[in-house]
Amino acid sequence: MHAEADDALQLYFCYLVSEKRVADHTSTNYQRDLKRFQSFCNVQELRLWQQVQDRDVRNYIAGRHKNGIGSKTIQRELAALRSFYRFLLKTKQVAHNPAQHVQAPKVSKRLPHVLDVDQMMGMLNATPDSVLEIRDLAMFELFYSSGLRLSELVMLDLLDIDFSEGFLRVRFGKGGKQRQLPIGKKALDALKVWLANRPGSGQAVFVSLQGRRLSQRSVQLRLDRWGKKNGIAEHLHPHMLRHSFASHLLEASKDIRAVQELLGHSNISTTQIYTHLDFQHLAAVYDQAHPRSRKA
């Protein structure tokens, strides 16, 4: 492409960081996505951004899909293109946004993997044998008790927990939203044991032996280690405990609105995936129990 097109791209990258203040990984992804699209334009002999038409974007997306690129990645690439062209429109460098009405292939909804109740109980009833494992058990109890996201757990401070009422406050939820969540008795007990052994004097609930707030990566590694130690064959990750919390609660209560509120989902359609899990469970019971369901 023409040097003018390169200059527009660099200005946009600066705009992302200085004015939009996007996260580093978002900026990196957008830069990579747009440079890839620029290479496509070079092959198509499109020298300026204003020469790109809707059909060019569609051809690019079709090519990516044909090459086996996943729907989520393509959606992000389209988001990068739309954002870039909004910037070009704002700075009067183009007259229209060729990516605005181009749709990505539909994402196939994969059901989240959950542990069954017996697996959860076995994992959480194991006895810790060190200060670190006392901390770990408190973290895992809290994941399952309150359905926290990983980012929400590591950002918890002591002031966020009300032991007398059995509640915690999430101050750093997705999209900056706050919510209040109940804490189960087992999780409260595990927290109290941890806080009696917790090193340091900072505000973070979950810290290292040096008293520093735990990173998300540390929690992931400790959970996987705990699972392997306690007989869980599959790879465990924090979101699996959140999924298990939601699935088990919905299965017992049938109250999808309450589960939505507890998970902090803005849209109930996000929560509805757990109704599919519940149906799968019912279907499995039916297949095992109903005399007319068995295949010959």
Side-chain angles (χ1 to χ4, degrees), residues 26 36 51 66 109 124 128 140 176 209 215 219 224 233 239 273:
T26 301
R36 185 181 289 113
Q51 292 177 315
K66 187 177 178 181
K109 285 191 175 180
L124 296 176
F140 309 149
L209 288 177
S215 69
V219 178
D224 191 44
H239 227 58
I273 194 166

Side-chain angles (χ1 to χ4, degrees), residues 43-173:
V43 172
Q44 302 301 312
E45 297 184 354
L46 299 167
R47 297 177 58 79
L48 297 169
W49 294 116
Q50 54 262 45
Q51 292 177 315
V52 177
Q53 301 298 313
D54 295 32
R55 65 176 178 274
D56 299 314
V57 178
R58 287 195 189 93
N59 289 339
Y60 174 72
I61 294 303
R64 297 287 285 157
H65 184 55
K66 187 177 178 181
N67 288 333
I69 305 303
S71 297
K72 283 191 175 181
T73 300
I74 292 174
Q75 285 181 340
R76 190 199 65 225
E77 291 177 349
L78 273 171
L81 274 169
R82 291 185 191 116
S83 175
F84 176 49
Y85 268 93
R86 282 196 296 270
F87 169 77
L88 294 178
L89 280 166
K90 183 179 178 181
T91 53
K92 302 189 187 311
Q93 297 181 63
V94 298
H96 85 295
N97 187 337
Q100 188 63 42
H101 301 294
V102 178
Q103 298 296 316
K106 287 187 177 179
V107 179
S108 57
K109 285 191 175 180
R110 289 186 299 176
L111 294 180
H113 190 61
V114 302
L115 298 175
D116 63 35
V117 173
D118 288 340
Q119 286 177 306
M120 284 300 312
M121 295 307 102
M123 193 186 89
L124 296 176
N125 287 338
T127 303
D129 58 18
S130 67
V131 171
L132 286 183
E133 288 193 352
I134 289 172
R135 177 203 65 195
D136 294 347
L137 185 58
M139 292 192 302
F140 309 149
E141 283 279 11
L142 202 53
F143 271 131
Y144 183 59
S145 163
S146 304
L148 293 173
R149 297 181 177 94
L150 174 57
S151 59
E152 294 168 349
L153 180 118
V154 297
M155 291 306 294
L156 273 181
D157 284 346
L158 296 174
L159 293 174
D160 297 327
I161 299 176
D162 185 334
F163 283 94
S164 62
E165 296 294 329
F167 280 92
L168 66 81
R169 178 182 53 160
V170 173
R171 289 181 295 122
F172 299 97

Side-chain angles (χ1 to χ4, degrees), residues 250-261:
L250 184 61
E251 186 179 324
S253 70
K254 308 300 179 190
D255 191 336
I256 192 170
R257 290 288 179 184
V259 175
Q260 176 193 4
E261 188 74 20

Side-chain angles (χ1 to χ4, degrees), residues 23-35:
D24 289 343
H25 73 275
T26 301
S27 176
T28 300
N29 285 337
Y30 275 26
Q31 288 189 43
R32 183 174 60 246
D33 295 341
L34 290 170
K35 284 177 179 175

